[in-house]
Amino acid sequence: MNGEAKPRGVLWAGRLAEKPGAEAFAFQSSLGVDRRLAQQDIAGSRAHAAMLGRRGIIPPETARALDGELARLAEELASGALAVDGGAEDIHSFIEGVLTERLGDAGRMVHAGRSRNDQVAVDFRLYLKEAVPGARDELGETIRVLLDRAEEHAAAVMPGYTHLQRAQPVTLGFHLCAWACALDRDRGRLGDALGRLDECPLGAGALAGSGLPLDREDTAKALGFARVSLNAMDSVADRDFALEIAAAVSIAMTHLSRFCEDLVLWASGEFGFVDLTESWSTGSSLMPQKKNPDFAELIRGKTGRAAGNLVTLLTLLKGLPYAYNKDLQEDKEALFDSLDTLRSCLRMFRGMLSAAVFNLGRMRAACTGGFLEATDAADYLVRKGLPFRKAHETAALVVRDCLEAGEDSIARRSLGDLRRRSALFDEDLYAALEPEACVKSRNLPGGSAPEEVARQIEALRRRV
Ligand code: ARG
């Protein structure tokens, strides 16, 4: 042993007489990250040991002893009675090391027909089978909060924007419902990835399977996998599941980031659409008046991490020769971070949104004065038989007339003035141009009419 490293459970001591020094050993150890997989590693070992016993590869009493000790280990780790010590190379070496310290040769039997390459693939998948539904539930919970707030404000008119220029009146409920639709797709993406990752690599060995009479169906079933993987080499080389989840998380974070950008704008004095409340804001160390939307900004900022983690994984895999390479050890830190980040950001976003106080008066006021009713004026003429292109031009000329006359709304123009542009304009135009009327008229599927938004909310509620 070179230097002071005397790690528990180095699994390859037979081959290498010289060992890395302490710093080098620590550099290649993944224990700090994969200690999170301890329970999954134990579950995998229990299934594997029981199968080895059933197949007569190890004596039945050895299988029983292994199972008992592994169960004890799981409890001790959960209660903190046993600490994962820093000396092991990874969680797999640590667990096998403890087993061997406690059981001697029985501990040395557990790895028959197995490699850390299939073991880590199993552990990682088992972990994700728990963690990803958790993230999905957080998305569902966030959608529910959005829908509650959307329902509350289904009829509250506000400007809808394109190019960040006021475009047409919508409702706050409609806008929040749009956000919920995006998060619903994120749930779907995570669900799709879960379906594909639900296969058991155990039995793939290092890369080529095993000559021992393992029963792969047995371990897959014991671990709750839907099926065994098809090809051993693919099973240890594949990290598509990590990529898919990192991509889905990155998309979800990008959604949150965009919502937060809206909130940051809305919370500004210039918009004044929302008060994010004092408990969801922070102050300035210098400027006494400040109340900053830091939570929204930080969620937006953390989106960079999720994108970075996805790029980390893509870069890790690009150019990686088949099958396993130690590079793959870097996969877990990136994906753990993505999932942790998404979950904490969803919790913060929910809290902030539940508390937010919307300034409905400011939103309503912002619907007048920006010609948001111009499309409805054109549609009015279309309803009266004018070809749309002509109707568009007429409404545009009316807008120009208003601007020249210093008027900020088509509704403020007299009927006489309007009729100089088209004889089709009539008294009923004024009612049609009220923001509430504009919104109400868009009652087709997907539209912003309150009763249609209620239907959208209902559809989303059914999905979550
Ligand atoms: N700690 C390793 C990882 O996370 C486990 C697999 C190691 N396999 C090996 N042949 N070195 O990828």
Side-chain angles (χ1 to χ4, degrees):
M1 183 67 63
N2 170 6
E4 54 281 49
K6 184 162 185 334
R8 172 185 249 158
V10 167
L11 303 177
W12 32 260
R15 168 66 180 84
L16 305 181
E18 296 282 315
K19 299 294 182 300
E23 190 186 350
F25 188 85
F27 174 81
Q28 60 85 57
S29 166
S30 55
L31 195 60
V33 172
D34 61 23
R35 62 198 319 149
R36 250 200 227 218
L37 299 177
Q39 294 296 339
Q40 288 76 12
D41 199 71
I42 290 172
S45 289
R46 290 183 75 177
H48 184 67
M51 179 277 292
L52 292 177
R54 275 195 284 276
R55 298 294 266 173
I57 300 168
I58 62 175
E61 61 276 14
T62 303
R64 271 196 299 280
L66 282 168
D67 193 64
E69 200 53 48
L70 282 162
R72 219 175 340 270
L73 258 169
E75 271 170 33
E76 290 174 23
L77 284 169
S79 72
L82 176 68
V84 175
D85 73 56
E89 192 181 349
D90 52 30
I91 191 65
H92 327 293
S93 316
F94 173 79
I95 304 275
E96 191 181 322
V98 178
L99 274 182
T100 303
E101 270 170 31
R102 294 186 182 179
L103 300 177
D105 271 351
R108 294 183 187 93
M109 287 187 177
V110 72
H111 210 56
R114 188 174 75 170
S115 158
R116 281 180 296 161
N117 299 352
D118 56 349
Q119 202 177 349
V120 73
V122 170
D123 294 2
F124 204 7
R125 285 173 189 256
L126 281 176
Y127 176 87
L128 294 172
K129 269 161 64 86
E130 267 180 51
V132 174
R136 244 171 113 227
D137 291 347
E138 294 278 1
L139 280 165
E141 204 39 57
T142 308
I143 292 171
R144 272 190 284 275
V145 168
L146 279 171
L147 296 180
D148 287 348
R149 306 279 358 226
E151 211 155 58
E152 195 182 324
H153 297 302
V157 292
M158 70 177 291
Y161 296 81
T162 65
H163 312 269
L164 201 53
Q165 306 285 318
R166 284 178 290 167
Q168 292 175 352
V170 297
T171 66
L172 178 54
F174 179 69
H175 196 126
L176 297 177
C177 200
W179 293 356
C181 286
L183 296 187
D184 184 52
R185 285 191 298 280
D186 294 324
R187 281 184 75 245
R189 267 184 282 275
L190 289 178
D192 293 346
L194 272 174
R196 260 187 302 278
L197 75 77
D198 198 6
E199 56 186 47
C200 187
L202 207 54
L207 78 165
S210 174
L212 296 174
L214 309 179
D215 184 343
R216 295 194 61 204
E217 294 288 349
D218 176 318
T219 43
K221 195 154 163 258
L223 290 170
F225 281 104
R227 57 194 176 275
V228 300
S229 59
L230 189 64
N231 173 288
M233 186 181 283
D234 176 53
S235 312
V236 293
D238 168 36
R239 290 294 183 276
D240 292 8
F241 58 95
L243 280 179
E244 284 192 50
I245 292 166
V249 167
S250 187
I251 296 170
M253 283 298 302
T254 302
H255 288 145
L256 288 182
S257 183
R258 293 181 70 182
F259 309 164
C260 284
E261 171 62 12
D262 275 352
L263 288 173
V264 168
L265 285 171
W266 293 356
S268 69
E270 286 70 14
F271 276 78
F273 287 179
V274 72
D275 175 359
L276 290 176
T277 73
E278 296 195 355
S279 20
W280 289 98
S281 306
T282 56
S284 160
S285 61
L286 189 143
M287 297 168 282
Q289 84 284 13
K290 292 300 288 290
K291 186 175 125 204
N292 295 326
D294 284 29
F295 290 87
E297 292 168 34
L298 200 51
I299 293 171
R300 192 177 59 190
K302 282 182 187 287
T303 302
R305 261 170 197 269
N309 289 332
L310 172 59
V311 173
T312 295
L313 289 171
L314 287 166
T315 312
L316 204 58
L317 290 160
K318 181 193 175 299
L320 204 65
Y322 270 61
Y324 179 86
N325 299 267
K326 184 84 163 185
D327 315 42
L328 290 177
Q329 181 164 289
E330 290 287 311
D331 58 1
K332 286 168 287 297
E333 192 168 0
L335 195 56
F336 289 166
D337 182 65
S338 280
L339 284 165
D340 293 349
T341 300
L342 176 64
R343 294 189 68 161
S344 65
C345 287
L346 284 169
R347 281 196 291 274
M348 291 302 108
F349 181 78
R350 275 208 303 276
M352 180 173 64
L353 195 82
S354 303
V357 179
F358 293 99
N359 187 336
L360 306 181
R362 284 284 292 229
M363 289 182 164
R364 172 70 174 73
C367 288
T368 51
F371 300 104
L372 287 85
E373 69 285 14
T375 309
D376 294 83
D379 285 352
Y380 174 93
L381 294 173
V382 168
R383 281 196 194 91
K384 303 224 161 171
L386 200 64
F388 174 74
R389 193 46 60 207
K390 283 194 174 151
H392 181 278
E393 194 190 333
T394 305
L397 290 169
V398 170
V399 169
R400 291 180 72 111
D401 293 345
C402 290
L403 290 170
E404 272 163 29
E407 289 162 355
D408 65 358
S409 156
I410 297 177
R412 301 233 164 92
R413 206 137 181 80
S414 75
L415 196 53
D417 286 341
L418 289 167
R419 283 204 171 135
R420 275 207 295 282
R421 291 295 179 187
S422 169
L424 295 170
F425 284 126
D426 224 324
E427 271 305 334
D428 58 350
L429 173 74
Y430 295 101
L433 297 190
E434 285 295 313
E436 286 77 10
C438 298
V439 158
K440 204 161 176 264
S441 72
R442 299 192 166 87
N443 59 359
L444 76 175
S448 53
E451 77 270 17
E452 168 53 22
V453 172
R455 190 190 67 84
Q456 295 165 23
I457 291 171
E458 200 33 52
L460 285 163
R461 279 207 200 283
R462 272 197 302 275
R463 285 187 219 171
V464 297

